[in-house]
Amino acid sequence: MSLGIDAARGSGMMASPSRLTNSDAFLDNQWAKVRSKLQLEVGDVEYRAWLKQVTLSGVAGDEVTLVLPTRFLRDWVSKEYGDLITALWQAENPAIRRIELRAQSNTGTAGGTAPNLGEPPHTMQTSAQAHKPEPRGEITAALDQRFTFESFVVGKPNEFAYACARRVAEAPANPGFNPLFLYGGVGLGKTHLMHAIAWELSTKSGRPHSVTYMSAEKFMYRFINALRSQSTLEFKNELRSVDVLMIDDLQFLIGKDNTQEEFFHTFNALVDAGKQIVISADKSPSDLSGLEDRLRTRLGCGMVADLHATTFELRISILEAKAARAGVEVPAKVMEFLAHKITSNVRELEGALNRLFAHANLFNRPVTLETAHEVLHDVLRAYDRRVTIQEIQKRVAEHWNIRVSEMSSARRSRNIARPRQVAMYLAKQLTSKSLPDIGRHFGDRDHTTVMHAVARVTALIAADAAFAEDVELLRRMLESGQA
Ligand code: ADP
Ligand code: MG
């Protein structure tokens, strides 16, 4: 009997997704969707730094309760992401009106445990130093085994940065190269080079060095934790006892005054003691706004090296190297295709190649241009800037026989609102525009309206085959330029 009731409840939920229920699976499912959208919206780095540790506690009435391990995180997430989380929940479930964020210590019901720092603890002390009394424990983040000098492909855009990194690995703390400041856009190899220096210094060089590598966010997180637990002295001593300190993605320290101050002092203490510092950021010291002037000056007084955007030649070399390493035969045509299409950063290029490998492996088929087109369909679509929101609006309006101007009008009658929602949905799918951007093209609507439209259309596609076909047809026409 209870089975029957559960089944009935289950199907009821499917039919009206806005209904609130306390079914755990249903809630978990919603929460999973909200999380993945959150990750898409804010990007991996921010998600991992701040949002990964949020857990769902429960729902009461129209209010969802989420839990974070510490008050600091709770306040931060509430201030920075509260509105976004609320909007995303509402898009999943319009019945939700409020999101309550709690810190672990204030609630006995939360499922989470102690603060999770993300990466597993990892110490890079070598055997030569193993007899030293205090182990350095979790102060440094894990290094990626693949990020070595040998696996780094050198070309015009990165040869200077590479040479500087090599130099530091050979002769650390040389004043001309201290600090070494590496900067450049996302996915161009900054982290790779830092790890390569760390590997070299901690394992290979004649005198093994103790190296601490961490992201600026981790630095900040550790520092704030130390403040809270009144162990700043230990934290400082730990930091200042290393031979080499590396801080990745320094731009995330911007505007965090306390932490900047601490970083500045650590920085000076280390340089004065003849230790090497390596920093990475997305901009040069002079272009990093929000940085204290004295820190900016300090950062720029060693060697500043720029990783430039990749060239076609470098992308080809990287693809060749990765294919050779993986032992997979990749036709030159396929590499050219990828190097032409995926120009923004090496991480994406690598990701595309790995997907080709996985596909070839799974189906036991060689990599061909045809499979590349097929497998990378969605990746490549993101790179095709051909489809504009205007085209989408025009095509969708034609299809449902309404005026294009209705796309931006305030009218809410269903025969207008539905095509408008479809156009928003397609804009999200086919262009790289952000939600607020899309909203602006539709009569200055809010990004939550766009989010709601996307959720609504997604649900309708699942529920109504004829509607799904219409949308699919429109998508194909727009994608193939037949609009
Ligand atoms: P960043 O830190 O600048 O955002 P990463 O160092 O994380 O970028 O690089 C992104 C990915 O691209 C990594 O997997 C890295 O190994 C790879 N990569 C970047 N540049 C190169 C290169 N020149 N040769 C080989 N792999 C590279
Ligand atoms: Mg990086």
Side-chain angles (χ1 to χ4, degrees):
M1 194 181 130
S2 71
L3 250 180
I5 290 170
D6 278 340
R9 239 175 58 188
S11 60
M13 284 171 337
M14 299 290 270
S16 61
S18 65
R19 207 179 99 195
L20 251 191
T21 158
N22 286 325
S23 155
D24 285 345
F26 182 59
L27 273 178
D28 282 345
N29 189 325
Q30 273 187 4
W31 175 223
K33 285 191 199 150
V34 172
R35 288 176 82 116
S36 60
K37 285 187 183 159
L38 204 50
Q39 190 166 9
L40 280 180
E41 282 296 315
V42 305
D44 271 351
V45 175
E46 281 188 42
Y47 181 81
R48 261 187 280 141
W50 306 114
L51 299 162
K52 208 173 144 192
Q53 306 178 57
V54 182
T55 54
L56 175 65
S57 168
V59 175
D62 59 1
E63 182 177 291
V64 173
T65 305
L66 300 174
V67 179
L68 282 129
T70 64
R71 272 164 169 236
F72 163 73
L73 275 173
R74 192 263 325 265
D75 294 345
W76 181 273
V77 167
S78 167
K79 180 165 144 277
E80 299 291 329
Y81 305 104
D83 291 345
L84 181 60
I85 296 176
T86 310
L88 288 170
W89 263 103
Q90 282 179 339
E92 275 311 312
N93 185 342
I96 296 296
R97 295 262 174 272
R98 269 157 38 83
I99 307 282
E100 158 108 346
L101 289 165
R102 283 199 202 150
Q104 183 98 45
S105 42
N106 296 344
T107 161
T109 55
T113 51
N116 168 15
L117 293 185
E119 303 104 289
H122 175 101
T123 168
M124 282 159 36
Q125 283 180 58
T126 56
S127 54
Q129 298 165 307
H131 64 275
K132 276 194 187 170
E134 7 82 309
R136 224 153 251 123
E138 59 167 345
I139 195 162
T140 186
L143 291 181
D144 193 314
Q145 304 255 4
R146 298 163 307 163
F147 294 176
T148 60
F149 282 125
E150 289 69 36
S151 67
F152 192 83
V153 180
V154 186
K156 273 252 149 26
N158 60 23
E159 63 188 4
F160 183 65
Y162 173 82
C164 293
R166 270 283 191 198
R167 181 69 178 272
V168 165
E170 274 156 26
N174 177 330
F177 289 83
N178 199 17
L180 172 60
F181 191 101
L182 299 169
Y183 76 95
V186 178
L188 297 180
K190 301 182 294 294
T191 299
H192 188 134
L193 282 180
M194 289 177 103
H195 285 209
I197 298 171
W199 281 125
E200 201 78 7
L201 281 173
S202 63
T203 61
K204 293 201 191 146
S205 74
R207 184 180 79 82
H209 294 71
S210 66
V211 181
T212 281
Y213 163 90
M214 65 177 115
S215 66
E217 290 154 299
K218 181 86 166 261
F219 180 89
M220 174 167 62
Y221 188 82
R222 290 282 321 252
F223 177 61
I224 285 162
N225 257 355
L227 279 179
R228 288 183 50 245
S229 60
Q230 297 176 329
S231 58
T232 41
L233 201 65
E234 281 100 316
F235 180 61
K236 283 179 195 180
N237 286 341
E238 241 182 308
L239 277 179
R240 289 175 193 184
S241 67
V242 299
D243 296 322
V244 183
L245 176 66
M246 302 185 161
I247 303 287
D248 206 351
D249 289 321
L250 188 78
Q251 68 271 16
F252 293 117
L253 220 61
I254 301 301
K256 319 281 186 312
D257 294 348
N258 263 350
T259 324
Q260 253 190 51
E261 177 92 15
E262 177 54 27
F263 176 69
F264 180 71
H265 292 308
T266 305
F267 185 101
N268 286 336
L270 284 170
V271 172
D272 290 347
K275 312 291 181 64
Q276 174 74 43
I277 297 201
V278 183
I279 306 284
S280 88
D282 62 349
K283 298 198 187 73
S284 72
S286 50
D287 288 340
L288 274 175
S289 54
L291 210 59
E292 270 186 61
D293 278 343
R294 54 181 187 167
L295 183 53
R296 187 195 309 282
T297 310
R298 266 314 226 167
L299 288 172
C301 70
M303 181 57 72
V304 177
D306 180 356
L307 285 136
H308 296 274
T310 58
T311 56
F312 180 76
E313 287 70 30
L314 179 59
R315 291 195 292 279
I316 291 283
S317 309
I318 291 173
L319 288 168
E320 281 170 353
K322 307 249 176 215
R325 198 164 259 262
V328 179
E329 192 90 38
V330 181
K333 277 259 169 297
V334 173
M335 301 218 214
E336 282 165 24
F337 170 68
L338 292 178
H340 265 304
K341 284 284 187 179
I342 304 178
T343 54
S344 63
N345 78 56
V346 182
R347 187 174 299 129
E348 308 237 343
L349 197 61
E350 228 176 15
L353 194 64
N354 285 337
R355 271 174 68 169
L356 283 186
F357 292 167
H359 187 269
N361 197 350
L362 198 61
F363 296 103
N364 201 10
R365 285 209 306 245
V367 176
T368 64
L369 199 54
E370 205 185 353
T371 52
H373 274 286
E374 195 183 302
V375 175
L376 303 176
H377 178 72
D378 54 339
V379 182
L380 298 176
R381 204 168 62 199
Y383 285 87
D384 277 335
R385 311 270 174 228
R386 253 181 326 148
V387 187
T388 63
I389 294 184
Q390 286 80 4
E391 276 172 275
I392 294 171
Q393 293 179 328
K394 178 167 166 284
R395 197 75 194 78
V396 174
E398 269 168 26
H399 184 83
W400 274 289
N401 233 336
I402 63 171
R403 273 200 287 273
V404 181
S405 60
E406 299 287 17
M407 289 288 167
S408 311
S409 78
R411 287 181 58 191
R412 288 157 155 242
S413 66
R414 177 122 161 224
N415 62 328
I416 305 284
R418 186 70 82 228
R420 191 187 290 134
Q421 287 180 325
V422 171
M424 289 183 191
Y425 168 89
L426 288 169
K428 182 70 192 137
Q429 299 271 310
L430 301 178
T431 72
S432 53
K433 296 275 189 283
S434 67
L435 294 171
D437 237 4
I438 294 174
R440 275 191 280 282
H441 281 82
F442 289 83
D444 232 350
R445 284 180 160 80
D446 195 66
H447 74 281
T448 54
T449 309
V450 183
M451 241 184 285
H452 178 72
V454 173
R456 191 81 201 106
V457 172
T458 308
L460 275 173
I461 286 175
D464 180 344
F467 177 79
E469 222 168 82
D470 275 355
V471 176
E472 177 61 19
L473 180 75
L474 283 165
R475 191 176 66 78
R476 277 173 197 266
M477 286 202 290
L478 284 160
E479 261 184 332
S480 60
Q482 293 169 301

